Amino acid sequence: MASKTVGVVGGMGPAATVEFLARLVRATRAARDEDHLHVLVDSDPRIPSRTAALLHGAPSPAPRLCAIAQTLERAGAEFLVMPCNTAHAFIDAMRGAVGIPILDMRAEAAALVGEGPVGLLATAAVVRAGVYDRVLRARGLALVSPPDADQNEVTALIAAVKAGEPLDGLRLRLRRIVVRLQEAGARTLVVGCTEISILHEPPPELPSVDALDALVEATVREAQDDAR
């Protein structure tokens, strides 16, 4: 069966883009190569820092994100996905630059949350700029963010994944943060950073929603629904 062509705005970071593609392949029901989705990828690590723009007034990544979106549209993409939570702070500008849909991984993740309060694991920019606040409030969900010390540790873990450090020790450090979020009242955990998605191993006692998995599921659904 034919499916819509997916355009991936990637490179934020490269490992997260590769992780998204690997999960997308695993999530697609296929018995042969031809059953998989047609995916166009622009993985550009030169996109200006989303965190620096949101927290420190550095140059906005929006112009580069819009240019990549337009390139993918011209190449034949019929809808776009962006496996970077922080970059979703600029999704409105991107939607104004193209004529094809852009899936919102924040909204897809929020739709899977069963109950709050929600413990959020994300970049400092996502937390402080309220990137997830609107979509969670729309579903009546309260937010529990890590205290500053733990948020700094999350930032360090993200940097370690981007630098290619071994994952096992990093996972133990993340687990301690998750325990403290649960002790602070979180009833569901939202993994709102794609580097943390690479690290996170859901604890059985705390329901978890991984925004990267939510985006993968939405991508398969959008590509196959009403396929030509």
Side-chain angles (χ1 to χ4, degrees):
M1 183 179 68
S3 60
K4 298 175 187 174
T5 298
V6 185
V8 180
V9 180
M12 303 174 286
T17 301
V18 171
E19 181 72 15
F20 169 78
L21 294 171
R23 295 188 188 192
L24 185 64
V25 169
R26 292 196 296 268
T28 304
R29 297 180 63 181
R32 54 182 185 159
D33 290 348
E34 294 89 337
D35 296 331
H36 283 279
L37 303 179
H38 183 200
V39 182
L40 305 176
V41 183
D42 190 336
S43 183
D44 185 359
R46 300 168 300 174
I47 296 168
S49 169
R50 287 66 59 200
T51 293
L54 290 170
L55 294 184
H56 308 300
S60 172
R64 184 66 191 144
L65 290 170
C66 291
I68 292 171
Q70 291 167 343
T71 296
L72 289 167
E73 182 178 28
R74 288 193 299 269
E78 294 171 87
F79 69 98
L80 300 177
V81 298
M82 185 164 54
C84 173
N85 289 269
T86 312
H88 279 67
F90 308 95
I91 195 171
D92 289 341
M94 296 172 67
R95 283 174 166 161
V98 295
I100 56 177
I102 305 177
L103 301 188
D104 187 332
M105 70 190 302
R106 304 166 301 173
E108 299 296 340
L112 298 178
V113 175
E115 63 176 333
V118 173
L120 180 63
L121 293 172
T123 65
V126 163
V127 172
R128 293 173 190 167
V131 174
Y132 262 87
D133 289 12
R134 179 174 57 83
V135 294
L136 292 174
R137 283 201 306 269
R139 298 184 60 81
L141 297 167
L143 180 64
V144 178
S145 298
D148 287 346
D150 279 351
Q151 184 60 57
N152 291 339
E153 177 74 341
V154 171
T155 299
L157 290 172
I158 293 167
V161 173
K162 288 181 180 289
E165 294 185 18
L167 300 182
D168 288 345
L170 303 180
R171 288 193 172 107
L172 179 59
R173 290 162 59 185
L174 180 64
R175 171 66 177 152
R176 295 180 183 130
I177 297 170
V178 170
V179 168
R180 287 191 286 271
L181 277 172
Q182 186 174 16
E183 291 172 348
R187 301 292 297 274
T188 302
L189 187 70
V190 168
V191 180
C193 173
T194 44
E195 276 76 30
I196 297 300
S197 296
I198 294 171
L199 283 181
H200 181 57
E201 295 177 334
E205 70 277 13
L206 183 63
S208 299
V209 174
D210 189 328
L212 190 61
D213 284 334
L215 183 62
V216 166
E217 293 175 14
T219 301
V220 173
R221 184 177 66 245
E222 178 69 18
Q224 295 180 341
D225 281 357
D226 300 322
R228 295 169 304 174

